[in-house]
Amino acid sequence: MIRRFAFFVFLGLLIAAGGVLPAHAQQGLSVQETVLRAKPATVLIISEVSADVTLDCGSGSQTVKPKEFRETGTGWFIDPSGWVITNGHVIQPAHEPPRWLVNQMAQRAVTKACLGPALEAARMQPGDNPGAEEALKRRLLDKVLPTVKVAITPQVLVVLSSGTRLKAEVKKYSPPASTEPGAPSARDLALLKVPAGNYPVLPLADTTVQIGDPIRILGFPGVVLSHELLNESASLDASVTTGAISGLKQDRANHPFLQTDASAAWGNSGGPAINAKAELVGVLTFVSLAPGAEGSIVQGFNFAIPAQTVKNFVADQPVKLNQPGKFNAVWFAGLRDYFTDDWKGAKRKFEEADKLQPGLVDVKRMLGEATENIKNPPPRPFPWFWVTIGVTLLSAGGYGAQFAIRWHKNRYRVGPSEIIKLAETGKQPIILDTRQQKQYDQNPIKIHGSIRLSPEDLKSGGATSLDLDKTRPVVAYCT
């Protein structure tokens, strides 16, 4: 009986202790909270090159600004003070402007400034005779290009989800891998620095990933940025794709890579691949292309640079890894409150996060949802957890009461085994057979060495005539 009671008390206390712990401590992050932790730290990277081209179409020198070259990718904050990681090939056009890009700028300037007057002098309208127009354009390029002067202005921009554009300085650069024979070993990483501030940040995972581990890739795929049916906000809100680690590979230089079946496209380069704890496990670097002239992307065979490689890359830089910063502290706490239905606490912390880094898309969205839930609380599910605790404690109390009553009733009762133990230790007890006379007559079992003393004898004072050894224990047998 005691064991059963102890079991139920232990069970009740165990469940009650579980009820005191927040739901957050009992289970992992939800998919929604995982993504919301990582999205604010994911940024759009713009590698832009503009130019001032000085040329002479035949009527004097002039300076022309052709359309700038722009390439986009993805990056993420590794340090809350303003350090950003992306791919080397994303910022390569601005960091190491190739010769073909300079030539392209010059050709665009010549076409923009000289083709119109040349068509007018030849009494031609644009588009009337494409063949003749193309021939005239080639003659202009052959004539003017040798004398042009091109002054390029490259820049790398980091765009937050609030729309804020920050000029970035390239602090460390590793070029993309190459298939050319004798090409130097490269890691395709770049470390950028933007003006100091309180930025969201992604922590790096310490554990080694395994094949089959689920991951999510965040980024700004070009197909979304340029989609004709989406408005401008699509360029500020990172997209998320889901998959798993499908392989552990190495490149020709024996550098490790993670293969994943999570979807990716142009523009995802440099994007973070995160685990279920919203920690970075890899940086997307290249996708697989189908053979042939079109070179379309083959989904399900994309590759990421492991987190350990990123740690090694920034080891010689003043980058503080896994520092949460002010923004992450209040943002994570706000998400924790939100997903445990503490709308007021969530709203207060989201407002604080918005002050630290104003206008971030996800912060504004969650602040709006918390405010709406305060005004119109969503229906709460039936509290099965607390009902279970109540029933358990009530049951434990009932068993406890039964135990106490039985213990009080039997507190002086001695079992046969205890009598035998007394006899074995030399303390032979005096046994009084005090059964009622009627029961004694119906079941005349004699107990060896016992003294017969009925309840009637006790009432008449018969017990006073007994001469008992007061040094021996006395045990009464009754029914």
Side-chain angles (χ1 to χ4, degrees):
M1 185 66 195
I2 295 177
R3 292 180 179 177
R4 183 165 56 180
F5 170 72
F7 169 75
F8 278 104
V9 170
F10 171 75
L11 179 62
L13 292 175
L14 182 62
I15 297 177
V20 174
L21 294 175
H24 217 75
Q26 299 182 49
Q27 51 186 313
L29 301 177
S30 66
V31 173
Q32 291 75 19
E33 187 172 355
T34 299
V35 171
L36 285 170
R37 282 190 173 204
K39 279 187 65 182
T42 306
V43 293
L44 175 67
I45 306 294
I46 299 177
S47 183
E48 187 175 89
V49 179
S50 59
D52 291 319
V53 181
T54 303
L55 52 82
D56 186 356
C57 296
S59 57
S61 179
Q62 60 179 308
T63 300
V64 179
K65 292 185 73 69
K67 181 178 176 60
E68 67 275 0
F69 173 87
R70 180 178 296 165
E71 187 165 282
T72 63
T74 304
W76 48 278
F77 282 100
I78 192 174
D79 183 319
S81 64
W83 294 89
V84 178
I85 290 287
T86 187
N87 279 156
H89 75 261
V90 171
I91 61 119
Q92 187 180 42
H95 185 65
E96 296 179 336
R99 184 62 191 172
W100 65 262
L101 179 56
V102 177
N103 291 337
Q104 185 183 78
M105 290 290 191
Q107 292 180 28
R108 287 179 178 177
V110 171
T111 302
K112 179 180 179 181
C114 304
L115 184 58
L119 288 173
E120 185 177 349
R123 297 179 180 181
M124 296 171 57
Q125 294 294 325
D128 284 351
N129 190 336
E133 184 175 338
E134 182 63 25
L136 179 59
K137 177 181 175 180
R138 291 185 177 279
R139 289 197 296 272
L140 283 172
L141 293 174
D142 291 340
K143 177 182 177 181
V144 180
L145 277 179
T147 61
V148 301
K149 295 181 179 179
V150 182
I152 61 172
T153 304
Q155 66 175 346
V156 177
L157 299 173
V158 172
V159 185
L160 309 185
S161 68
S162 60
T164 302
R165 294 191 171 204
L166 304 171
K167 287 188 176 181
E169 181 182 356
V170 180
K171 290 295 187 179
K172 189 173 183 179
Y173 169 79
S174 177
S178 175
T179 58
E180 297 296 327
S185 176
R187 293 312 343 250
D188 194 21
L189 288 171
L191 178 65
L192 312 179
K193 183 67 173 69
V194 299
N198 294 310
Y199 299 104
V201 66
L202 274 179
L204 276 65
D206 291 327
T207 56
T208 303
V209 297
Q210 303 292 336
I211 295 176
D213 287 352
I215 64 168
R216 290 174 176 84
I217 292 178
L218 290 81
F220 298 89
V223 65
V224 175
L225 297 183
S226 60
H227 202 290
E228 66 275 9
L229 297 180
L230 301 177
N231 62 21
E232 293 183 0
S233 65
S235 63
L236 303 176
D237 195 9
S239 300
V240 183
T241 57
T242 301
I245 300 296
S246 55
L248 304 175
K249 308 296 184 182
Q250 294 180 332
D251 66 5
R252 294 183 177 181
N254 296 323
H255 293 141
F257 282 91
L258 307 177
Q259 181 180 322
T260 175
D261 59 358
S263 298
W266 303 118
N268 274 118
S269 294
I274 61 171
N275 60 17
K277 298 179 181 179
E279 299 170 333
L280 181 123
V281 297
V283 182
L284 192 72
T285 180
F286 58 86
V287 297
S288 299
L289 301 179
E294 294 183 1
S296 58
I297 296 176
V298 180
Q299 290 298 347
F301 299 92
N302 305 313
F303 297 87
I305 302 167
Q308 184 58 50
T309 300
V310 178
K311 294 179 183 179
N312 297 338
F313 181 72
V314 302
D316 61 344
Q317 299 294 315
V319 175
K320 297 180 180 179
L321 297 177
N322 294 345
Q323 296 294 317
K326 295 181 179 180
F327 180 90
N328 272 30
V330 295
W331 175 238
F332 287 8
L335 291 175
R336 189 176 310 121
D337 287 345
Y338 181 88
F339 287 102
T340 52
D341 299 343
D342 181 3
W343 318 121
K344 292 183 179 179
K347 180 177 182 292
R348 185 171 58 253
K349 294 180 178 67
F350 291 157
E351 288 173 341
E352 189 175 348
D354 192 50
K355 290 179 181 178
L356 290 171
Q357 194 55 244
L360 296 179
V361 168
D362 294 293
V363 177
K364 291 195 301 181
R365 181 185 299 127
M366 297 307 296
L367 179 57
E369 291 186 10
T371 303
E372 178 61 26
N373 287 341
I374 293 173
K375 295 178 180 178
N376 301 300
R380 294 182 179 273
F382 187 78
W384 290 108
F385 177 77
W386 296 109
V387 170
T388 303
I389 289 180
V391 172
T392 303
L393 294 178
L394 184 61
S395 300
Y399 277 104
Q402 292 180 24
F403 169 78
I405 293 171
R406 182 166 295 186
W407 174 85
H408 185 269
K409 182 179 179 181
N410 298 326
R411 64 189 184 280
Y412 298 124
R413 184 163 292 181
V414 179
S417 60
E418 296 180 10
I419 296 175
I420 296 174
K421 288 181 180 179
L422 287 172
E424 290 176 347
T425 57
K427 296 181 180 180
Q428 181 68 34
I430 300 172
I431 302 176
L432 299 179
D433 188 344
T434 59
R435 289 178 289 173
Q436 292 181 356
Q437 190 63 40
K438 182 179 180 180
Q439 293 176 337
Y440 181 81
D441 293 339
Q442 291 177 351
N443 188 16
I445 298 176
K446 291 285 187 178
I447 301 175
H448 179 72
S450 66
I451 300 173
R452 171 63 182 161
L453 184 65
S454 68
E456 291 79 7
D457 294 335
L458 290 173
K459 289 180 182 180
S460 61
T464 58
S465 61
L466 293 176
D467 185 15
L468 301 177
D469 185 355
K470 297 181 179 180
T471 63
R472 295 168 58 188
V474 178
V475 178
Y477 171 66
C478 61
T479 57

